[in-house]
Amino acid sequence: MADSHHSLAALKRQIAALDRAPARAMLRVPTGHGGLDMALGDGLALGCVHELFGDTGEDGAVAGLALLWAWLAAAGAPVLWLRTQGAARIGGVPYGPGLAALGLDPEMLLTGVMTDDAMVLRAAIDGLRCQALGGVVIELRGRAPLLDLTASRRLALAAEASGVTAMIVRLDATPVPSAAETRWHVAAAPSVPLPGNAPGSSAFDLTLLRCRTGRDGQRWRLTWDGQRGSFGDWVDERHDDGQRSDDRPAPLSGALLPLPAGRPPADHAARSVGGRRG
């Protein structure tokens, strides 16, 4: 009996020590935006799940930011974008030359078009287990009841085991409890026009809704620099005469991810894998 009590006490001490063990240090990738990277602890956490939400009409902004973040996380490895046939009909398909204009290699983007959310989530688990990938973008529209806490935990465990980073795009959806490392609200932001009033760099208004390791509610404006391949702080540019950029012509809508609905992919468009097309 004494030996049993001794063994039980030792087991309790071992469990208590595990509970006090420090959390696993996460690898991170800098986004290039100083304030955002500082708030996140040196950058975006890799090998975990991030959720990005957007309102009606913000499809391009949310999907664009998710793809750019997945691209940074992938560090040269392929990125897999999973969506349903309905989402592809509504949002259009990635346009290769447009991706290249953002500084992304269209040949490194794989797209999987599935019949329903259940297939998307099953494919997402398989994708996150594949260490040859660098990132997986999972696009879900509406309530998506299959993405419950249990499903999000499966995604998080698969991402943690492989080191592949997941970006869940939630359009027209309300946040619910999940195993995501971070949760964001994304909206398109005005871009500063280039000379000749040409469209400027892609710009995003970003709100941190939830973060396991930081303070919620913080907001930033990000601009994408395709030449540098990173984000930067939004700069209030001035004319040579000292006038604010606010005095220029009205800012243009942020130039986001090219998704021409109903347009056939160009020769250099992203490759497609997976389910049937509608």
Side-chain angles (χ1 to χ4, degrees):
M1 182 67 70
D3 290 341
S4 298
H5 284 300
H6 181 271
S7 299
L8 180 59
L11 180 59
K12 288 181 177 179
R13 288 194 298 270
Q14 189 173 8
I15 294 173
L18 290 174
D19 289 340
R20 292 193 298 269
R24 178 181 63 89
M26 285 188 173
L27 296 177
R28 297 180 181 272
V29 60
T31 67
H33 186 288
L36 176 60
D37 289 339
M38 183 179 297
L40 295 178
D42 297 329
L44 198 67
L46 302 178
C48 60
V49 174
H50 304 276
E51 284 185 310
L52 293 83
F53 286 79
D55 298 330
T56 302
E58 296 289 357
D59 303 32
V62 184
L65 183 60
L67 179 57
L68 291 171
W69 274 0
W71 209 267
L72 290 176
V79 171
L80 175 62
W81 184 356
L82 298 170
R83 58 211 305 233
T84 64
Q85 294 173 349
R89 284 194 295 268
I90 295 171
V93 297
Y95 183 53
L99 295 172
L102 291 175
L104 311 183
D105 181 0
E107 291 296 322
M108 299 301 286
L109 175 62
L110 308 175
T111 60
V113 182
M114 310 296 168
T115 56
D116 53 33
D117 287 353
M119 287 188 65
V120 167
L121 291 173
R122 286 197 295 269
I125 293 291
D126 291 337
L128 289 172
R129 288 172 176 167
C130 177
Q131 296 184 0
L133 294 174
V136 178
V137 177
I138 307 160
E139 180 181 342
L140 298 170
R141 291 176 176 265
R143 288 182 55 248
L146 294 180
L147 184 65
D148 55 13
L149 184 58
T150 299
S152 71
R153 282 175 175 161
R154 290 195 187 103
L155 294 172
L157 289 172
E160 181 179 345
S162 66
V164 180
T165 306
M167 301 288 169
I168 304 182
V169 173
R170 301 298 315 277
L171 300 169
D172 299 327
T174 301
V176 296
S178 75
E181 181 71 17
T182 62
R183 180 181 298 144
W184 307 85
H185 183 273
V186 184
S191 61
V192 178
L194 298 174
N197 206 33
S201 300
S202 301
F204 308 86
D205 279 334
L206 189 64
T207 303
L208 180 57
L209 301 177
R210 180 180 181 275
C211 181
R212 289 179 178 270
T213 58
R215 181 168 57 88
D216 303 345
Q218 301 180 75
R219 302 182 66 184
W220 300 271
R221 177 166 293 182
L222 280 63
T223 55
W224 173 252
D225 187 329
Q227 292 185 338
R228 290 194 305 129
S230 66
F231 290 92
D233 301 331
W234 180 75
V235 179
D236 184 17
E237 297 180 354
R238 296 174 182 270
H239 291 290
D240 293 338
D241 58 6
Q243 290 183 316
R244 293 176 61 87
S245 59
D246 294 343
D247 299 327
R248 296 181 181 183
L252 301 173
S253 169
L256 302 173
L257 182 65
L259 293 170
R263 181 172 184 173
D267 292 341
H268 299 292
R271 290 175 289 162
S272 177
V273 299
R276 299 172 298 168
R277 291 187 177 276

